[in-house]
Amino acid sequence: SASETTGVFVPTQEDYQKVYNEIATLLQEKDDYDDGSYGPVLVRLAWHASGTYDKETGTGGSNGATMRFAPEGDHGANAGLVAARDFLAPVKAKFPWMTYSDLWILAGICAIQEMQGPTIPYRPGRMDKDIAACTPDGRLPDASQGNKHLRAIFGRMGFNDQEIVALSGAHALGRCHTDRSGFDGPWTFSPTVVTNDFYKLLLNEKWQWKKWNGPKQYEDKTTKTLMMLPTDMALVSDKAFKQWVDKYAKDEALFHKDFAAVITKLFELGVPFDETTQQTPMTLKPTA
Ligand code: CCH
């Protein structure tokens, strides 16, 4: 094998499955965090690692893991993601042959699959970059804004309206934290399961401005326990976006299919896969 002749360890799909299983086991063990899972914050880490991509300059994206360094790790948008990076530290120690860049994306995929989401194909090959590759602040979306901002930010990465709406369904997961973004609360009643509930609730609940001292956000009129960001609400006030919200609210299978496709694209933005080596996407098996 290549590893015998060169002395360089060449991981196989089995090796990546071992890493996957390790993350899945830790997710089950460390269940006293937030709503009972680190899954959502792992998805957010993978998204913020990828979502800095700029298609014009080819800078940013998941190939680099530059959020390890203070300038990028300290960007306001990344507040709290140290919890996800710390969660993965023992995994990196156990599998030192893996780059942080590949590990963060594998962890995002593992989290989605373990939270009953669709199967996400995985391709390794990302290289860690040094501090000089940190992206400037302001590349990730600002939740206080609206439809123009969403199209500008996601357009810079290369996404269209349908893809923006499909990606936003990730807000079925997790919650906002007052000590991170300043916003407060979960979007759905099942924040550790990949459902289409984000779209259903957007359409079916009555939303009102929350009366509080924090940043402007919505709360549901009925229970006052759920939340929506101004950017979330733009997905129903903008007619072109709303068409897709309607579709995904009606059809969870379609959401899962489109979410898998668009998150794969997100996770691979700017990654220069070597077409000559083994780059067939692999399917890693969920534990359940
Ligand atoms: Fe998001 N997100 N997100 N988001 N997000 C937040 C939390 C999560 C925006 C703002 C916020 C995506 C798109 C957007 C997740 C996945 C995705 C929070 C709360 C804010 C604010 C952070 C906190 O306080 O901890 C905005 C604006 C956009 C614009 O579109 C996309 C795309 C994805 C993934 C595909 C996940 C998951 C969370 C929950 C994190 C947690 O810790 O529970």
Side-chain angles (χ1 to χ4, degrees):
S1 73
S3 58
E4 279 158 13
T5 50
T6 63
V8 175
F9 177 60
V10 180
T12 63
Q13 176 158 350
E14 274 169 67
D15 294 303
Y16 289 107
Q17 185 71 55
K18 280 181 198 155
V19 182
Y20 180 103
N21 294 349
E22 179 74 15
I23 299 165
T25 301
L26 283 175
L27 281 174
Q28 278 166 23
E29 284 173 8
K30 300 194 172 192
D31 63 356
D32 59 347
Y33 171 80
D34 261 6
D35 301 290
S37 175
Y38 273 90
V41 80
L42 290 183
V43 174
R44 191 162 202 245
L45 175 66
W47 137 238
H48 279 206
S50 309
T52 54
Y53 184 65
D54 173 20
K55 66 177 184 188
E56 295 302 326
T57 58
T59 56
S62 66
N63 189 41
T66 44
M67 204 199 297
R68 285 171 296 142
F69 305 113
E72 198 170 322
D74 290 349
H75 290 167
N78 291 331
L81 289 179
V82 68
R85 297 196 299 276
D86 286 351
F87 175 93
L88 292 172
V91 184
K92 171 69 178 165
K94 192 162 178 178
F95 304 97
W97 49 266
M98 223 177 156
T99 61
Y100 283 96
S101 320
D102 271 344
L103 177 61
W104 291 358
I105 298 305
L106 180 56
I109 287 174
C110 177
I112 290 166
Q113 294 191 169
E114 295 300 305
M115 293 189 288
Q116 300 166 54
T119 304
I120 316 290
Y122 178 65
R123 286 202 289 177
R126 294 166 191 77
M127 301 300 288
D128 293 339
K129 293 185 183 162
D130 70 19
I131 192 167
C134 281
T135 51
D137 201 357
R139 287 202 178 177
L140 291 162
D142 168 359
S144 70
Q145 305 225 27
N147 55 353
K148 275 191 191 155
H149 176 72
L150 286 179
R151 288 196 176 92
I153 293 282
F154 285 94
R156 189 207 67 228
M157 297 176 220
F159 292 114
N160 64 26
D161 285 2
Q162 174 265 321
E163 292 172 314
I164 293 170
V165 178
L167 278 172
S168 304
H171 283 171
L173 298 171
R175 58 167 58 244
C176 296
H177 305 77
T178 50
D179 58 344
R180 296 180 182 181
S181 60
F183 297 98
D184 189 30
W187 289 266
T188 67
F189 294 111
S190 53
T192 62
V193 187
V194 184
T195 64
N196 64 341
D197 287 1
F198 170 76
Y199 307 106
K200 288 192 196 166
L201 290 159
L202 253 183
L203 294 174
N204 300 333
E205 286 300 320
K206 289 221 167 18
W207 297 96
Q208 61 190 19
W209 288 110
K210 180 180 171 78
K211 289 187 189 69
W212 73 326
N213 288 328
K216 287 183 93 177
Q217 69 173 70
Y218 295 86
E219 66 181 8
D220 72 301
K221 242 181 175 162
T222 324
T223 71
K224 297 186 176 173
T225 56
L226 301 180
M227 69 94 58
M228 288 289 166
L229 300 165
T231 40
D232 296 319
M233 214 53 97
L235 303 178
V236 283
S237 59
D238 181 288
K239 280 200 177 114
F241 283 147
K242 183 170 177 291
Q243 289 180 26
W244 292 103
V245 173
D246 289 336
K247 283 195 175 67
Y248 295 137
K250 280 196 199 98
D251 189 343
E252 187 166 75
L254 177 70
F255 165 58
H256 273 186
K257 179 177 149 285
D258 287 0
F259 182 70
V262 76
I263 203 113
T264 303
K265 176 172 167 180
L266 173 72
F267 288 169
E268 297 192 346
L269 291 173
V271 184
F273 293 112
D274 180 354
E275 301 303 331
T276 63
T277 60
Q278 186 223 353
Q279 287 294 314
T280 319
M282 53 182 91
T283 300
L284 298 167
K285 276 201 294 293
T287 53

